[in-house]
């Protein structure tokens, strides 16, 4: 049996290790919502305090004992919070994050939702004068290299969460509908705000890799570009307005590390995969198989598998929440069969597991991944 | 003036030009109902078709809909009672516990663009509010939207609330949203499902037996 880290690195070099690596709890999309993790812990009769990557997004930090049980081959590495004059908890229970976005959780709701997009009516001057958080502040990276080294010495792949997500942040600052309208009606503003977010996030990512770049195996960045049916904007618009900034960020990161670039985008981004490969993406996540254009995972492997690794693909819109454990096992086998030949596949659920996913299904996913993912594959 | 420009500028989402041309057309004596039925509605039909063919994406849809709505704001107050009957009446909302609305807003805009009268209840709409919104004896569509697997069950609860209120037979229920499927629509007894805003208009017309 290979050590987990070597298993991951081997697969990412498009070679077949001993089995398909599993990424569970390594990033926001590969973990569980805190209430879902509570259900799993109860099922496993395991007690621990609830911890999360982010209080607002409620992405659970999974305990080491559970990561072992699930067979996860990576461990997350997160920098500290960015100093910001905007972050606060209001008296009514709403939260303001480092960007100044106001979030609230209504009684009975599972989720924090945006109450106020602070830059909805902003202009270029407002962008220039906004009290932006300091993503490159040294306090964020203290002790990071040691933590990364510790993960590697324990034999796991280091999955660093860069926090780079400029388009998502643009949408939350502006309001998603206004953001989409900006792309067509106000290119100057797009450059002002998207450019500013790129500068900030690039500086944060470079700070991260300057401190711990040698110890990072996978570097996670994120930007949702797809809806269930199609990219959120036309490929032409993406290439003209957003792609150059993504390219600049990846290029700056690569100057300081040999870590593989892991790019997360939900939805149907099939028309943009070639562009992402072109700008240096090594691993595509989450492969939302329920979205148009992404379900034929055999086709994705055929068309991109020589240049791109895939992480994700186990369906979270039907199989995991509504299927039986047998349906989940069948889904796992299908995605391994399609994506894992010649390596290049890290198995995980498409997205952060919600509380409607039965614990039996979560276990079925990881157990079947270990059973059916043994190389040479016999599916 | 060339009234066809109202159609063209609506399709390309030039709201200020559409407003300007609308005012000009009115000044030249064109009936408000004619501007809507001959130029705005066909323009939105073209927008919907181009969206389905992946020539237009959500941004193009949004700016076209805004251009149309800008014209409707001028024209609606000028319509006499029997100038332009709505093609149908729709009550739409995002279900209880769910605050996502862009998809629902697109469906609402496309339905208005097709000549429907739309009552938009907003987001986080409890089943009882859908029941309350149904006007007696008017054929209506109830359109439900959800973005999350965890809020989809509220669609079933809404259908049950309609049944409990004796209103289920009076309306057709159409559902949509990212995780929603035809299979789920069948399971909960909805009358229809549509995967996007343009096919939602088609499905609603089909359910109401509107052939145009």
């Amino acid at each position: 049996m290979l050590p987990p880290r070597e298993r991951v690195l081997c697969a990412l070099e498009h070679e077949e290790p001993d089995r398909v690596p599993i990424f569970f709890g390594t990033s926001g999309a590969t973990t569980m919502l805190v209430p879902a993790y509570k259900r799993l812990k109860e099922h496993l009769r395991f007690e621990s305090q609830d911890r999360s990557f982010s209080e607002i997004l409620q992405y659970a930090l999974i305990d080491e004992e559970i990561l072992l049980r699930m067979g996860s081959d990576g461990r997350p590495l997160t920098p500290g919070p960015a100093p910001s004059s905007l972050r606060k908890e209001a008296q009514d229970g709403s939260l303001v994050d480092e960007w100044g976005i106001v979030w609230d959780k209504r009684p009975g709701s599972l989720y924090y939702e945006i109450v106020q997009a602070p830059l909805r009516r902003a202009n270029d001057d407002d962008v220039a004068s906004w009290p932006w958080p300091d993503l490159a502040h040294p306090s964020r990276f203290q002790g990071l290299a040691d933590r990364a080294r510790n993960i590697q010495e324990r034999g796991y792949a280091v999955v660093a969460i860069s926090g780079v997500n400029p388009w998502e942040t643009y949408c939350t600052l502006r309001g998603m509908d206004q953001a989409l309208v900006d792309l067509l009606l106000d290119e100057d503003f797009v450059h002002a705000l998207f450019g500013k977010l790129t500068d900030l996030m690039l500086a944060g990512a470079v700070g991260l890799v300057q401190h711990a770049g040698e110890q990072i195996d996978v570097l996670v960045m994120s930007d949702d570009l797809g809806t269930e049916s199609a990219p959120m904007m036309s490929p032409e618009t993406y290439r003209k307005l957003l792609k150059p900034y993504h390219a600049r960020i990846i290029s700056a990161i690569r100057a300081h590390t040999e870590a593989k670039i892991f790019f997360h985008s939900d939805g149907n981004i099939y028309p943009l995969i070639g562009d992402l490969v072109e700008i240096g993406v090594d691993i595509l996540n989450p492969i939302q198989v329920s979205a148009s254009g992404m379900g034929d995972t055999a086709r994705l492997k055929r068309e991109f598998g020589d240049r791109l690794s895939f992480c994700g693909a186990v369906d979270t819109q039907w199989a995991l929440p509504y299927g039986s454990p047998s349906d989940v096992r069948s889904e796992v086998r299908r995605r391994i069969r399609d994506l894992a030949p010649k390596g290049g596949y890290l198995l995980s659920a498409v997205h952060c597991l919600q509380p409607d996913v039965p614990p039996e299904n979560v276990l079925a996913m990881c157990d079947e991944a270990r059973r059916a993912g043994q190389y040479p594959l016999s599916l | 003036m060339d009234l066809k420009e109202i159609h063209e500028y609506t399709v390309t989402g030039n709201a200020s030009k559409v407003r300007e041309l609308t005012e000009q057309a009115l000044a030249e004596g064109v009936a408000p109902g004619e501007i809507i039925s001959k130029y705005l509605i066909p323009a939105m039909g073209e927008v919907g078709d181009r969206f389905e063919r992946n020539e237009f994406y959500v941004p193009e849809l949004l700016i076209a809909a805004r251009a149309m709505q800008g014209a409707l704001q001028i024209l609606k107050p000028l319509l006499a009672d029997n100038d332009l009957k709505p093609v149908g009446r729709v009550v739409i909302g995002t279900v209880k516990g769910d605050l996502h609305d862009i998809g629902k807003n697109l469906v609402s805009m496309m339905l208005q663009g097709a000549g429907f009268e739309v009552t938009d209840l907003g987001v986080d709409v409890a089943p009882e509010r859908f029941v309350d919104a149904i006007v007696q004896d008017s054929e209506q569509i109830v359109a439900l939207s959800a973005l999350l697997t965890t809020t989809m069950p509220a669609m079933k609860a809404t259908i049950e609330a309609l049944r409990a209120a004796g209103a289920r037979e009076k309306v057709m229920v159409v559902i949509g949203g990212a995780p929603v499927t035809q299979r789920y629509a069948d399971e909960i007894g909805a009358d229809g499902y549509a995967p996007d805003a343009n096919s939602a208009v088609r499905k609603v017309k089909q359910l109401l037996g509107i052939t145009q």
Side-chain angles (χ1 to χ4, degrees), chain B residues 124-195:
Chain B
D124 191 19
V125 182
E128 309 78 64
R129 280 188 57 211
F130 282 108
V131 174
D132 290 343
I134 293 168
V135 173
Q136 292 268 339
D137 298 327
S138 287
E139 187 172 51
Q140 298 225 37
I141 298 275
V142 174
L144 308 176
S145 174
L147 185 73
L148 306 161
T149 56
T150 45
T151 52
M152 270 163 62
M155 292 180 158
K156 186 172 176 188
T158 301
I159 290 178
E160 278 163 14
L162 289 168
R163 194 169 288 124
R168 180 67 185 94
E169 303 307 310
K170 295 197 172 93
V171 296
M172 307 256 208
V173 178
V174 181
I175 65 174
V180 181
T181 56
Q182 182 65 61
R183 173 200 229 154
Y184 188 71
D186 296 338
E187 206 180 287
I188 66 169
D191 297 292
Y193 154 74

Side-chain angles (χ1 to χ4, degrees), chain A residues 106 111 180 228 231-232 322 356, chain B residues 57 59 102 124 149-150 178 183:
Chain A
R106 293 191 184 183
Y111 308 101
L180 291 169
E228 197 81 4
M232 225 184 268
Y322 299 124
D356 56 0
Chain B
Y57 291 74
I102 291 186
D124 191 19
T149 56
T150 45
R183 173 200 229 154

Side-chain angles (χ1 to χ4, degrees), chain A residues 106 110-111 113 176-178 180-181 184-185 228 230-235 317-318 322 356, chain B residues 13 54 57-60 62-63 66 97 99-100 102 124 148-150 152-153 178-179 183:
Chain A
R106 293 191 184 183
L110 282 172
Y111 308 101
E113 302 283 359
M176 186 181 267
D177 55 332
Q178 186 58 50
L180 291 169
V181 167
L184 295 182
L185 296 186
E228 197 81 4
M232 225 184 268
M233 71 288 290
S234 72
Q317 275 187 352
W318 183 79
Y322 299 124
D356 56 0
Chain B
N54 284 334
Y57 291 74
V58 176
E60 285 83 2
L62 280 171
I63 63 172
R66 285 186 181 197
L99 272 64
H100 300 94
I102 291 186
D124 191 19
L148 306 161
T149 56
T150 45
M152 270 163 62
R183 173 200 229 154

Side-chain angles (χ1 to χ4, degrees), chain B residues 41-96:
Chain B
I41 291 180
M44 290 310 291
E46 182 183 332
V47 168
D49 288 341
R50 290 175 81 165
F51 179 70
E52 235 174 298
R53 290 199 300 267
N54 284 334
E55 284 169 28
F56 274 7
Y57 291 74
V58 176
E60 285 83 2
L61 224 67
L62 280 171
I63 63 172
R66 285 186 181 197
M68 174 206 67
Q69 282 177 331
L72 284 183
Q73 265 168 17
I74 299 170
L75 296 169
K76 272 202 164 156
L78 303 174
L79 291 172
D81 274 344
N82 52 9
D83 258 354
L84 197 68
K85 285 210 172 351
V87 164
R89 313 245 289 263
V90 180
V91 170
I92 191 169
T94 300
V95 296
K96 178 118 189 83

